[in-house]
Short mmCIF file of all heavy atoms in Angstrom, two decimals:
data_model
loop_
_atom_site.label_atom_id
_atom_site.label_comp_id
_atom_site.label_asym_id
_atom_site.label_seq_id
_atom_site.Cartn_x
_atom_site.Cartn_y
_atom_site.Cartn_z
N MET A 1 124.86 157.15 118.91
CA MET A 1 124.96 156.72 117.58
C MET A 1 124.89 155.27 117.51
O MET A 1 124.27 154.70 116.58
CB MET A 1 126.28 157.26 116.96
CG MET A 1 126.29 157.17 115.48
SD MET A 1 125.01 158.31 114.81
CE MET A 1 125.37 158.13 113.11
N GLN A 2 125.60 154.58 118.43
CA GLN A 2 125.63 153.05 118.38
C GLN A 2 124.24 152.52 118.71
O GLN A 2 123.81 151.60 118.06
CB GLN A 2 126.60 152.54 119.57
CG GLN A 2 127.98 152.64 119.13
CD GLN A 2 128.44 151.51 118.23
OE1 GLN A 2 127.59 151.03 117.48
NE2 GLN A 2 129.72 151.32 118.10
N ASN A 3 123.49 153.13 119.61
CA ASN A 3 122.09 152.68 119.94
C ASN A 3 121.19 152.86 118.76
O ASN A 3 120.34 152.01 118.55
CB ASN A 3 121.56 153.46 121.09
CG ASN A 3 122.31 153.03 122.43
OD1 ASN A 3 122.91 151.95 122.46
ND2 ASN A 3 122.32 153.91 123.44
N ILE A 4 121.29 153.97 118.03
CA ILE A 4 120.42 154.17 116.87
C ILE A 4 120.66 153.20 115.85
O ILE A 4 119.77 152.55 115.17
CB ILE A 4 120.59 155.56 116.33
CG1 ILE A 4 120.13 156.63 117.40
CG2 ILE A 4 119.79 155.80 115.06
CD1 ILE A 4 120.43 158.07 117.12
N ARG A 5 121.98 152.90 115.58
CA ARG A 5 122.37 151.92 114.60
C ARG A 5 121.89 150.45 115.01
O ARG A 5 121.37 149.70 114.12
CB ARG A 5 123.90 151.84 114.38
CG ARG A 5 124.38 150.91 113.24
CD ARG A 5 125.82 150.89 113.12
NE ARG A 5 126.28 152.30 112.86
CZ ARG A 5 127.50 152.65 113.24
NH1 ARG A 5 128.37 151.95 113.78
NH2 ARG A 5 127.89 153.95 112.96
N ALA A 6 122.00 150.10 116.23
CA ALA A 6 121.55 148.75 116.72
C ALA A 6 120.02 148.73 116.66
O ALA A 6 119.48 147.72 116.25
CB ALA A 6 122.00 148.68 118.11
N LEU A 7 119.29 149.81 116.79
CA LEU A 7 117.89 149.91 116.76
C LEU A 7 117.42 149.68 115.33
O LEU A 7 116.53 148.85 115.04
CB LEU A 7 117.37 151.23 117.30
CG LEU A 7 115.85 151.43 117.17
CD1 LEU A 7 115.15 150.52 118.21
CD2 LEU A 7 115.56 152.91 117.53
N PHE A 8 118.13 150.28 114.34
CA PHE A 8 117.81 150.08 112.88
C PHE A 8 118.07 148.64 112.44
O PHE A 8 117.34 148.03 111.78
CB PHE A 8 118.48 151.07 112.09
CG PHE A 8 117.92 152.46 112.03
CD1 PHE A 8 118.73 153.61 112.23
CD2 PHE A 8 116.60 152.65 111.83
CE1 PHE A 8 118.14 154.86 112.30
CE2 PHE A 8 115.96 153.94 111.92
CZ PHE A 8 116.83 155.01 112.06
N ILE A 9 119.16 148.14 112.94
CA ILE A 9 119.40 146.73 112.54
C ILE A 9 118.46 145.73 113.15
O ILE A 9 117.90 144.83 112.51
CB ILE A 9 120.87 146.36 113.04
CG1 ILE A 9 121.89 147.09 112.19
CG2 ILE A 9 121.17 144.90 113.01
CD1 ILE A 9 123.32 147.04 112.65
N ALA A 10 118.04 145.96 114.35
CA ALA A 10 117.02 145.20 115.02
C ALA A 10 115.69 145.29 114.30
O ALA A 10 114.96 144.31 114.05
CB ALA A 10 116.88 145.56 116.51
N MET A 11 115.30 146.47 113.91
CA MET A 11 114.03 146.77 113.13
C MET A 11 114.09 146.06 111.83
O MET A 11 113.13 145.40 111.44
CB MET A 11 113.77 148.22 113.05
CG MET A 11 113.35 148.86 114.38
SD MET A 11 113.12 150.66 114.26
CE MET A 11 112.03 150.81 112.91
N ALA A 12 115.29 146.07 111.16
CA ALA A 12 115.32 145.39 109.89
C ALA A 12 115.27 143.89 110.01
O ALA A 12 114.62 143.16 109.25
CB ALA A 12 116.77 145.70 109.19
N GLY A 13 115.96 143.33 111.05
CA GLY A 13 115.69 141.94 111.46
C GLY A 13 114.31 141.56 111.62
O GLY A 13 113.75 140.56 111.15
N ILE A 14 113.58 142.29 112.46
CA ILE A 14 112.18 142.01 112.77
C ILE A 14 111.33 142.12 111.46
O ILE A 14 110.45 141.25 111.28
CB ILE A 14 111.72 143.00 113.88
CG1 ILE A 14 112.31 142.57 115.17
CG2 ILE A 14 110.18 142.89 113.92
CD1 ILE A 14 112.09 143.68 116.26
N ALA A 15 111.61 143.10 110.53
CA ALA A 15 110.92 143.21 109.34
C ALA A 15 111.15 142.00 108.45
O ALA A 15 110.19 141.49 107.73
CB ALA A 15 111.31 144.50 108.66
N ALA A 16 112.38 141.53 108.44
CA ALA A 16 112.64 140.32 107.63
C ALA A 16 111.98 139.13 108.20
O ALA A 16 111.39 138.25 107.43
CB ALA A 16 114.17 140.10 107.62
N ILE A 17 111.94 138.86 109.42
CA ILE A 17 111.21 137.80 110.08
C ILE A 17 109.74 137.90 109.81
O ILE A 17 109.10 136.87 109.42
CB ILE A 17 111.49 137.74 111.58
CG1 ILE A 17 112.89 137.32 111.78
CG2 ILE A 17 110.56 136.84 112.36
CD1 ILE A 17 113.39 137.38 113.19
N CYS A 18 109.16 139.08 109.87
CA CYS A 18 107.75 139.26 109.63
C CYS A 18 107.43 138.97 108.06
O CYS A 18 106.41 138.32 107.82
CB CYS A 18 107.29 140.71 109.92
SG CYS A 18 107.23 141.08 111.63
N ALA A 19 108.33 139.38 107.23
CA ALA A 19 108.14 139.06 105.71
C ALA A 19 108.13 137.61 105.53
O ALA A 19 107.31 137.03 104.76
CB ALA A 19 109.15 139.69 104.91
N LEU A 20 109.01 136.86 106.22
CA LEU A 20 109.15 135.38 106.12
C LEU A 20 107.82 134.73 106.59
O LEU A 20 107.39 133.72 106.08
CB LEU A 20 110.34 134.81 106.71
CG LEU A 20 111.69 135.13 106.02
CD1 LEU A 20 112.81 134.64 106.80
CD2 LEU A 20 111.69 134.45 104.68
N VAL A 21 107.42 135.22 107.72
CA VAL A 21 106.16 134.68 108.32
C VAL A 21 104.91 134.89 107.32
O VAL A 21 104.23 133.92 107.14
CB VAL A 21 105.81 135.31 109.76
CG1 VAL A 21 104.47 135.04 110.20
CG2 VAL A 21 106.92 134.81 110.73
N VAL A 22 104.86 136.08 106.76
CA VAL A 22 103.74 136.30 105.90
C VAL A 22 103.90 135.38 104.59
O VAL A 22 102.89 134.85 104.16
CB VAL A 22 103.74 137.83 105.40
CG1 VAL A 22 102.79 138.03 104.32
CG2 VAL A 22 103.27 138.68 106.59
N LEU A 23 105.09 135.25 104.09
CA LEU A 23 105.32 134.41 102.86
C LEU A 23 104.93 132.91 103.27
O LEU A 23 104.23 132.26 102.55
CB LEU A 23 106.78 134.46 102.45
CG LEU A 23 107.20 133.50 101.38
CD1 LEU A 23 106.47 134.01 100.06
CD2 LEU A 23 108.74 133.48 101.13
N THR A 24 105.39 132.50 104.42
CA THR A 24 105.18 131.08 104.77
C THR A 24 103.64 130.86 105.00
O THR A 24 103.02 129.87 104.59
CB THR A 24 105.93 130.73 106.09
OG1 THR A 24 107.24 130.95 105.91
CG2 THR A 24 105.59 129.30 106.52
N ALA A 25 102.89 131.82 105.62
CA ALA A 25 101.44 131.68 105.79
C ALA A 25 100.74 131.68 104.40
O ALA A 25 99.78 130.95 104.25
CB ALA A 25 101.01 132.82 106.67
N SER A 26 101.14 132.56 103.57
CA SER A 26 100.46 132.59 102.31
C SER A 26 100.62 131.37 101.46
O SER A 26 99.75 130.90 100.78
CB SER A 26 100.91 133.90 101.41
OG SER A 26 102.25 133.71 101.12
N VAL A 27 101.83 130.82 101.51
CA VAL A 27 102.09 129.52 100.83
C VAL A 27 101.24 128.45 101.40
O VAL A 27 100.66 127.57 100.73
CB VAL A 27 103.62 129.20 100.80
CG1 VAL A 27 103.93 127.77 100.27
CG2 VAL A 27 104.37 130.19 99.89
N THR A 28 101.22 128.39 102.76
CA THR A 28 100.40 127.36 103.44
C THR A 28 98.94 127.47 103.07
O THR A 28 98.22 126.47 102.83
CB THR A 28 100.51 127.55 104.94
OG1 THR A 28 101.94 127.35 105.29
CG2 THR A 28 99.80 126.40 105.74
N ILE A 29 98.44 128.69 102.96
CA ILE A 29 97.01 128.88 102.65
C ILE A 29 96.76 128.41 101.26
O ILE A 29 95.78 127.86 100.93
CB ILE A 29 96.67 130.35 102.93
CG1 ILE A 29 96.53 130.61 104.45
CG2 ILE A 29 95.22 130.69 102.32
CD1 ILE A 29 96.36 132.08 104.80
N ALA A 30 97.70 128.82 100.31
CA ALA A 30 97.57 128.32 98.92
C ALA A 30 97.57 126.82 98.80
O ALA A 30 96.62 126.33 98.10
CB ALA A 30 98.66 128.95 98.12
N PHE A 31 98.40 126.07 99.46
CA PHE A 31 98.37 124.67 99.39
C PHE A 31 97.07 124.16 100.02
O PHE A 31 96.54 123.13 99.57
CB PHE A 31 99.58 124.07 100.13
CG PHE A 31 100.79 124.12 99.23
CD1 PHE A 31 101.98 124.59 99.75
CD2 PHE A 31 100.76 123.65 97.92
CE1 PHE A 31 103.16 124.52 98.98
CE2 PHE A 31 101.93 123.71 97.16
CZ PHE A 31 103.08 124.12 97.64
N ALA A 32 96.63 124.68 101.13
CA ALA A 32 95.38 124.25 101.74
C ALA A 32 94.09 124.51 100.81
O ALA A 32 93.32 123.63 100.73
CB ALA A 32 95.20 124.95 103.08
N GLY A 33 94.16 125.62 100.08
CA GLY A 33 93.11 125.89 99.17
C GLY A 33 93.10 124.94 97.96
O GLY A 33 92.11 124.43 97.56
N MET A 34 94.37 124.62 97.41
CA MET A 34 94.42 123.58 96.39
C MET A 34 93.97 122.23 96.81
O MET A 34 93.25 121.56 96.20
CB MET A 34 95.86 123.54 95.92
CG MET A 34 96.23 124.77 95.07
SD MET A 34 98.03 124.89 94.51
CE MET A 34 98.65 123.32 94.58
N LEU A 35 94.35 121.82 98.02
CA LEU A 35 93.98 120.58 98.63
C LEU A 35 92.42 120.53 98.71
O LEU A 35 91.74 119.49 98.41
CB LEU A 35 94.62 120.35 99.88
CG LEU A 35 94.35 118.97 100.59
CD1 LEU A 35 94.80 117.84 99.67
CD2 LEU A 35 95.00 118.93 101.95
N ALA A 36 91.82 121.59 99.20
CA ALA A 36 90.37 121.60 99.40
C ALA A 36 89.69 121.50 97.94
O ALA A 36 88.76 120.79 97.84
CB ALA A 36 89.94 122.89 100.05
N VAL A 37 90.20 122.22 96.94
CA VAL A 37 89.60 122.19 95.66
C VAL A 37 89.74 120.76 95.08
O VAL A 37 88.76 120.14 94.64
CB VAL A 37 90.26 123.20 94.72
CG1 VAL A 37 89.90 122.93 93.32
CG2 VAL A 37 89.83 124.61 95.18
N PHE A 38 90.84 120.18 95.26
CA PHE A 38 91.06 118.74 94.73
C PHE A 38 90.19 117.79 95.39
O PHE A 38 89.54 116.85 94.77
CB PHE A 38 92.54 118.33 94.85
CG PHE A 38 93.53 119.07 93.88
CD1 PHE A 38 94.80 119.20 94.27
CD2 PHE A 38 93.06 119.56 92.77
CE1 PHE A 38 95.68 119.95 93.55
CE2 PHE A 38 93.97 120.32 91.92
CZ PHE A 38 95.24 120.40 92.33
N THR A 39 89.95 117.96 96.70
CA THR A 39 89.07 117.08 97.48
C THR A 39 87.66 117.20 97.06
O THR A 39 86.96 116.17 96.87
CB THR A 39 89.22 117.42 99.04
OG1 THR A 39 90.56 117.27 99.35
CG2 THR A 39 88.39 116.42 99.85
N VAL A 40 87.19 118.42 96.82
CA VAL A 40 85.76 118.67 96.37
C VAL A 40 85.62 118.05 94.93
O VAL A 40 84.59 117.44 94.69
CB VAL A 40 85.45 120.10 96.47
CG1 VAL A 40 84.13 120.45 95.78
CG2 VAL A 40 85.41 120.62 97.98
N VAL A 41 86.48 118.31 94.17
CA VAL A 41 86.46 117.81 92.68
C VAL A 41 86.41 116.28 92.64
O VAL A 41 85.57 115.66 92.05
CB VAL A 41 87.60 118.39 91.89
CG1 VAL A 41 87.65 117.71 90.54
CG2 VAL A 41 87.41 119.86 91.64
N LYS A 42 87.28 115.62 93.51
CA LYS A 42 87.31 114.27 93.62
C LYS A 42 85.94 113.73 94.15
O LYS A 42 85.39 112.64 93.69
CB LYS A 42 88.41 113.72 94.40
CG LYS A 42 88.61 112.18 94.38
CD LYS A 42 89.80 111.82 95.11
CE LYS A 42 89.95 110.28 95.05
NZ LYS A 42 91.05 109.79 95.78
N ALA A 43 85.30 114.41 95.01
CA ALA A 43 84.08 113.89 95.67
C ALA A 43 82.91 114.06 94.72
O ALA A 43 82.01 113.31 94.75
CB ALA A 43 83.81 114.70 97.02
N LEU A 44 83.00 115.10 93.81
CA LEU A 44 81.93 115.33 92.98
C LEU A 44 81.93 114.65 91.66
O LEU A 44 80.91 114.57 90.96
CB LEU A 44 81.79 116.89 92.73
CG LEU A 44 81.38 117.74 93.86
CD1 LEU A 44 81.45 119.14 93.56
CD2 LEU A 44 80.04 117.35 94.43
N THR A 45 83.06 114.09 91.25
CA THR A 45 83.13 113.43 90.01
C THR A 45 82.58 112.02 90.07
O THR A 45 82.78 111.35 91.09
CB THR A 45 84.73 113.32 89.51
OG1 THR A 45 85.37 112.69 90.53
CG2 THR A 45 85.22 114.60 89.16
N PRO A 46 81.82 111.61 89.09
CA PRO A 46 81.21 110.33 89.16
C PRO A 46 82.23 109.22 89.00
O PRO A 46 83.20 109.33 88.31
CB PRO A 46 80.21 110.29 87.99
CG PRO A 46 80.76 111.32 87.06
CD PRO A 46 81.44 112.32 87.89
N ARG A 47 81.92 108.15 89.74
CA ARG A 47 82.80 106.97 89.68
C ARG A 47 82.21 105.96 88.65
O ARG A 47 81.03 105.59 88.78
CB ARG A 47 83.01 106.35 91.06
CG ARG A 47 83.84 107.14 91.92
CD ARG A 47 83.88 106.56 93.37
NE ARG A 47 84.79 107.35 94.11
CZ ARG A 47 84.49 108.51 94.73
NH1 ARG A 47 83.29 109.03 94.48
NH2 ARG A 47 85.32 109.21 95.50
N HIS A 48 82.92 105.58 87.68
CA HIS A 48 82.46 104.71 86.69
C HIS A 48 82.64 103.26 87.08
O HIS A 48 83.65 102.82 87.67
CB HIS A 48 83.20 104.90 85.29
CG HIS A 48 83.03 106.34 84.81
ND1 HIS A 48 81.85 106.82 84.37
CD2 HIS A 48 84.00 107.33 84.77
CE1 HIS A 48 82.04 108.06 83.97
NE2 HIS A 48 83.28 108.44 84.22
N LYS A 49 81.58 102.44 86.86
CA LYS A 49 81.68 101.01 87.12
C LYS A 49 82.53 100.39 86.13
O LYS A 49 82.39 100.75 84.88
CB LYS A 49 80.28 100.42 87.13
CG LYS A 49 79.41 100.87 88.36
CD LYS A 49 78.08 100.14 88.39
CE LYS A 49 77.30 100.30 87.22
NZ LYS A 49 76.02 99.73 87.25
N PRO A 50 83.24 99.38 86.41
CA PRO A 50 84.05 98.66 85.38
C PRO A 50 83.09 97.97 84.44
O PRO A 50 82.05 97.42 84.87
CB PRO A 50 84.90 97.70 86.17
CG PRO A 50 84.31 97.64 87.49
CD PRO A 50 83.52 98.93 87.79
N ALA A 51 83.40 97.93 83.20
CA ALA A 51 82.62 97.23 82.24
C ALA A 51 82.57 95.66 82.49
O ALA A 51 83.72 95.13 82.73
CB ALA A 51 83.03 97.52 80.82
N PRO A 52 81.45 95.11 82.40
CA PRO A 52 81.41 93.60 82.54
C PRO A 52 82.24 92.97 81.42
O PRO A 52 82.00 93.34 80.26
CB PRO A 52 79.99 93.24 82.55
CG PRO A 52 79.35 94.34 81.91
CD PRO A 52 80.19 95.61 82.14
N VAL A 53 82.88 91.89 81.73
CA VAL A 53 83.69 91.26 80.70
C VAL A 53 83.11 89.80 80.62
O VAL A 53 82.91 88.99 81.53
CB VAL A 53 85.15 91.07 81.26
CG1 VAL A 53 85.97 90.31 80.23
CG2 VAL A 53 85.78 92.45 81.49
N ARG A 54 82.73 89.50 79.28
CA ARG A 54 82.16 88.17 79.06
C ARG A 54 82.87 87.55 77.91
O ARG A 54 82.87 88.29 76.80
CB ARG A 54 80.58 88.33 78.77
CG ARG A 54 79.83 88.79 79.93
CD ARG A 54 78.33 88.84 79.58
NE ARG A 54 77.61 89.34 80.69
CZ ARG A 54 77.21 90.59 80.81
NH1 ARG A 54 77.64 91.46 79.97
NH2 ARG A 54 76.61 91.05 81.81
N ALA A 55 83.45 86.47 78.07
CA ALA A 55 84.18 85.81 76.95
C ALA A 55 83.38 84.58 76.53
O ALA A 55 83.01 83.76 77.44
CB ALA A 55 85.54 85.42 77.33
N LYS A 56 83.02 84.40 75.30
CA LYS A 56 82.26 83.32 74.78
C LYS A 56 83.22 82.46 74.01
O LYS A 56 83.86 82.90 73.07
CB LYS A 56 81.11 83.88 73.95
CG LYS A 56 80.06 84.67 74.70
CD LYS A 56 79.06 85.10 73.85
CE LYS A 56 78.11 86.10 74.71
NZ LYS A 56 77.15 86.76 73.81
N SER A 57 83.16 81.20 74.40
CA SER A 57 84.10 80.29 73.60
C SER A 57 83.24 79.58 72.59
O SER A 57 82.06 79.39 72.58
CB SER A 57 84.66 79.22 74.58
OG SER A 57 83.71 78.41 75.08
N LYS A 58 83.97 79.22 71.49
CA LYS A 58 83.39 78.44 70.41
C LYS A 58 82.96 76.98 70.94
O LYS A 58 83.64 76.53 71.80
CB LYS A 58 84.25 78.40 69.24
CG LYS A 58 84.56 79.80 68.62
CD LYS A 58 85.49 79.67 67.50
CE LYS A 58 85.86 81.13 67.04
NZ LYS A 58 86.91 81.08 66.12
N ALA A 59 82.00 76.38 70.24
CA ALA A 59 81.61 75.09 70.71
C ALA A 59 82.69 74.03 70.50
O ALA A 59 83.24 73.87 69.43
CB ALA A 59 80.27 74.69 69.93
N GLY A 60 83.02 73.39 71.61
CA GLY A 60 83.98 72.29 71.51
C GLY A 60 85.42 72.80 71.62
O GLY A 60 86.38 71.93 71.77
N GLU A 61 85.70 74.01 71.45
CA GLU A 61 87.11 74.40 71.59
C GLU A 61 87.38 74.96 72.95
O GLU A 61 86.59 75.71 73.60
CB GLU A 61 87.36 75.70 70.55
CG GLU A 61 87.40 75.23 69.14
CD GLU A 61 87.83 76.35 68.24
OE1 GLU A 61 88.54 77.23 68.70
OE2 GLU A 61 87.47 76.27 67.07
N ARG A 62 88.53 74.61 73.45
CA ARG A 62 88.98 75.09 74.75
C ARG A 62 90.42 75.55 74.58
O ARG A 62 91.44 74.79 74.63
CB ARG A 62 88.95 73.97 75.78
CG ARG A 62 89.34 74.42 77.20
CD ARG A 62 88.24 75.22 77.65
NE ARG A 62 88.72 75.57 79.12
CZ ARG A 62 88.35 76.73 79.74
NH1 ARG A 62 87.61 77.55 79.03
NH2 ARG A 62 88.77 76.96 80.81
N ASP A 63 90.62 76.76 74.22
CA ASP A 63 91.99 77.39 73.98
C ASP A 63 92.18 78.53 74.96
O ASP A 63 91.29 78.97 75.62
CB ASP A 63 92.14 77.71 72.55
CG ASP A 63 91.14 78.79 72.13
OD1 ASP A 63 90.05 78.89 72.72
OD2 ASP A 63 91.47 79.44 71.04
N MET A 64 93.30 79.12 74.91
CA MET A 64 93.70 80.19 75.75
C MET A 64 92.97 81.47 75.24
O MET A 64 93.04 81.80 74.07
CB MET A 64 95.16 80.40 75.76
CG MET A 64 95.63 81.49 76.66
SD MET A 64 97.45 81.45 76.86
CE MET A 64 97.92 82.09 75.24
N ARG A 65 92.31 82.15 76.17
CA ARG A 65 91.72 83.45 75.76
C ARG A 65 92.57 84.59 76.45
O ARG A 65 92.83 84.48 77.60
CB ARG A 65 90.24 83.47 76.12
CG ARG A 65 89.53 82.47 75.40
CD ARG A 65 88.08 82.42 75.96
NE ARG A 65 88.14 81.94 77.25
CZ ARG A 65 86.98 81.86 78.11
NH1 ARG A 65 85.84 82.30 77.59
NH2 ARG A 65 87.12 81.35 79.26
N VAL A 66 92.71 85.64 75.73
CA VAL A 66 93.45 86.84 76.26
C VAL A 66 92.63 88.07 75.93
O VAL A 66 92.19 88.22 74.75
CB VAL A 66 94.83 86.96 75.65
CG1 VAL A 66 95.60 88.14 76.26
CG2 VAL A 66 95.75 85.65 75.94
N TRP A 67 92.35 88.90 77.02
CA TRP A 67 91.61 90.07 76.70
C TRP A 67 92.00 91.18 77.72
O TRP A 67 92.63 90.81 78.74
CB TRP A 67 90.09 89.89 76.69
CG TRP A 67 89.49 89.60 77.91
CD1 TRP A 67 88.97 90.48 78.81
CD2 TRP A 67 89.27 88.26 78.57
NE1 TRP A 67 88.33 89.83 79.90
CE2 TRP A 67 88.57 88.46 79.75
CE3 TRP A 67 89.60 87.07 78.12
CZ2 TRP A 67 88.23 87.38 80.60
CZ3 TRP A 67 89.30 86.05 78.85
CH2 TRP A 67 88.57 86.16 80.08
N ASN A 68 91.77 92.39 77.40
CA ASN A 68 92.04 93.51 78.31
C ASN A 68 90.83 94.03 78.76
O ASN A 68 89.98 94.65 77.98
CB ASN A 68 92.97 94.49 77.59
CG ASN A 68 93.57 95.52 78.50
OD1 ASN A 68 93.08 95.73 79.61
ND2 ASN A 68 94.58 96.16 78.08
N ASP A 69 90.51 94.25 80.09
CA ASP A 69 89.28 94.77 80.62
C ASP A 69 89.42 96.23 80.95
O ASP A 69 88.60 96.81 81.69
CB ASP A 69 88.78 93.95 81.76
CG ASP A 69 89.64 94.02 82.94
OD1 ASP A 69 90.80 94.51 82.87
OD2 ASP A 69 89.16 93.62 84.09
N GLY A 70 90.53 96.86 80.62
CA GLY A 70 90.78 98.22 81.01
C GLY A 70 91.64 98.36 82.30
O GLY A 70 92.13 99.46 82.56
N ARG A 71 91.71 97.31 83.13
CA ARG A 71 92.47 97.39 84.27
C ARG A 71 93.63 96.49 84.25
O ARG A 71 94.54 96.51 85.12
CB ARG A 71 91.63 96.90 85.48
CG ARG A 71 90.49 97.95 85.86
CD ARG A 71 89.73 97.44 87.06
NE ARG A 71 88.95 96.29 86.62
CZ ARG A 71 88.21 95.55 87.49
NH1 ARG A 71 88.15 95.77 88.66
NH2 ARG A 71 87.56 94.54 86.99
N GLY A 72 93.74 95.78 83.19
CA GLY A 72 94.99 94.85 82.97
C GLY A 72 94.60 93.76 82.05
O GLY A 72 93.42 93.48 81.68
N THR A 73 95.61 93.04 81.57
CA THR A 73 95.42 91.93 80.70
C THR A 73 95.09 90.73 81.46
O THR A 73 95.66 90.41 82.43
CB THR A 73 96.71 91.74 79.88
OG1 THR A 73 97.03 92.92 79.26
CG2 THR A 73 96.46 90.63 78.82
N ILE A 74 94.00 90.00 80.88
CA ILE A 74 93.61 88.75 81.61
C ILE A 74 93.78 87.57 80.62
O ILE A 74 93.50 87.58 79.41
CB ILE A 74 92.09 88.84 81.91
CG1 ILE A 74 91.83 90.02 82.83
CG2 ILE A 74 91.52 87.51 82.48
CD1 ILE A 74 90.24 90.29 82.95
N ILE A 75 94.37 86.58 81.18
CA ILE A 75 94.76 85.31 80.37
C ILE A 75 93.96 84.25 81.01
O ILE A 75 94.14 83.86 82.20
CB ILE A 75 96.21 85.04 80.38
CG1 ILE A 75 97.03 86.25 79.77
CG2 ILE A 75 96.55 83.76 79.59
CD1 ILE A 75 98.54 86.12 79.86
N ASP A 76 93.02 83.64 80.27
CA ASP A 76 92.24 82.47 80.73
C ASP A 76 92.67 81.24 80.00
O ASP A 76 92.54 81.15 78.79
CB ASP A 76 90.79 82.79 80.39
CG ASP A 76 89.79 81.77 80.99
OD1 ASP A 76 90.31 81.01 81.79
OD2 ASP A 76 88.64 81.71 80.64
N MET A 77 93.10 80.30 80.81
CA MET A 77 93.70 79.15 80.15
C MET A 77 92.75 77.91 80.42
O MET A 77 92.18 77.78 81.38
CB MET A 77 95.10 78.69 80.79
CG MET A 77 96.09 79.74 80.43
SD MET A 77 97.74 79.17 81.01
CE MET A 77 98.66 80.57 80.81
#
C-alpha cells in the first residue's frame, strides 16, 4: 500500500512538473512571436525624414528666434 501511494505521489509530481514545462514553453513562444511581429513591423514601416527648418529674419533685425522642429525647441540668439 505504501508503494502504491508513493507511486501516485511521484506521478502527480511529474505531472505537475510537465505542466509547468509546457506553460513556460508556451509563454516563451508567445513572447518570441510578439518580438518577431514587432521587429517585422518596425522594419516595414517607412521612416520619415525630418522637415527642413528655415527661419527668415526681417531686414536689419537681429532678435531671438524660437521655433519647434518636432524634435525639440530651438532658440537662435
Side-chain angles (χ1 to χ4, degrees):
M1 194 68 174
Q2 285 283 23
N3 289 338
I4 295 173
R5 185 179 304 149
L7 181 66
F8 282 131
I9 292 173
M11 288 174 53
I14 290 173
I17 290 173
C18 289
L20 289 175
V21 167
V22 168
L23 177 69
T24 303
S26 64
V27 169
T28 302
I29 290 172
F31 279 133
M34 288 174 24
L35 182 63
V37 168
F38 292 152
T39 303
V40 168
V41 167
K42 185 175 180 179
L44 293 178
T45 55
R47 289 176 178 76
H48 300 290
K49 293 189 296 186
V53 178
R54 294 183 185 91
K56 297 177 183 173
S57 63
K58 297 176 185 171
E61 285 189 27
R62 183 72 178 148
D63 58 339
M64 185 172 68
R65 294 177 292 176
V66 179
W67 70 92
N68 190 342
D69 68 347
R71 292 180 290 176
T73 302
I74 299 172
I75 301 173
D76 186 13
M77 294 185 190

